């Protein structure tokens, strides 16, 4: 089971300017090195999807976010379920502390993402998340 994190606008983690947090995966990252993606990861044995979400946020960006505005699941492939969580981050957007798997971060709107080297289907995926909030 793969876990992905998304916040409104989507988290996807969204700040007060309605920009989405993206992480640039480091050169040594095990999946899609040097590409921009959302915070996320796998659900570990014994974890609920929300616990995995909270852990991944803490591990990848050093923040304790536990209040999610929305959550839902999608099954794009027969062998995986993706648990999507949305949250708003109202703190200082420069307070992100990256783990060693990521080399950079930024807050972007969808139109700006078209100019980044992003993981496959990211914009399409974010659009799907936006539709969940309509």
């Amino acid at each position: 089971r793969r876990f992905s994190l998304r916040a409104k606008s989507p988290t996807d983690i969204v700040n007060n300017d309605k920009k989405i947090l993206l992480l640039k995966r480091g050169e040594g990252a095990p999946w899609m090195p040097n590409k921009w993606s959302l915070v996320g990861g796998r659900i570990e044995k014994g974890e609920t999807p929300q616990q995995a979400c909270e852990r991944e946020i803490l591990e990848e960006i050093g923040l304790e976010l536990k209040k999610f505005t929305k959550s839902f699941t999608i099954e794009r492939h027969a062998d995986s379920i993706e648990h999507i969580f949305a949250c708003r981050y109202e703190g200082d957007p420069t307070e992100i502390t990256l783990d060693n798997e990521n080399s950079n971060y930024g807050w972007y709107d969808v139109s700006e993402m078209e100019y980044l080297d992003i993981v496959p289907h990211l914009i399409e995926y974010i659009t799907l998340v936006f539709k969940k909030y309509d």
Side-chain angles (χ1 to χ4, degrees), residues 4-14 18-23 36-39 72 74 76 82 84-86 106-134:
S4 295
L5 171 70
R6 311 285 187 228
K8 189 173 171 171
S9 236
T11 321
D12 309 30
I13 298 175
V14 179
K18 297 184 180 173
K19 300 239 179 168
I20 302 160
L21 177 65
L22 294 183
L23 305 181
W36 290 86
S37 69
L38 297 164
V39 175
F72 57 93
I74 61 171
R76 291 187 298 162
E82 294 177 80
I84 314 304
F85 290 85
W107 297 90
Y108 300 96
D109 62 38
V110 175
S111 65
E112 295 169 318
M113 291 177 197
E114 296 175 15
Y115 301 100
L116 299 174
D117 188 10
I118 57 176
V119 297
H121 310 293
L122 180 66
I123 293 173
E124 179 182 341
Y125 195 68
I126 287 172
T127 302
L128 174 66
V129 174
F130 271 121
K131 287 181 181 180
K132 284 288 187 180
Y133 297 105
D134 290 345

Side-chain angles (χ1 to χ4, degrees), residues 3 16 29 32 50 63-64 67 77 80 103 116 124 127 133-134:
F3 154 79
N16 289 330
M32 296 281 170
Q50 183 167 331
L63 296 176
E64 277 194 51
K67 186 176 180 185
H77 307 286
S80 70
S103 63
L116 299 174
E124 179 182 341
T127 302
Y133 297 105
D134 290 345

Side-chain angles (χ1 to χ4, degrees), residues 43-48 51:
I43 298 172
E44 294 181 358
K45 189 175 181 175
E47 276 185 322
T48 66
Q51 288 169 332

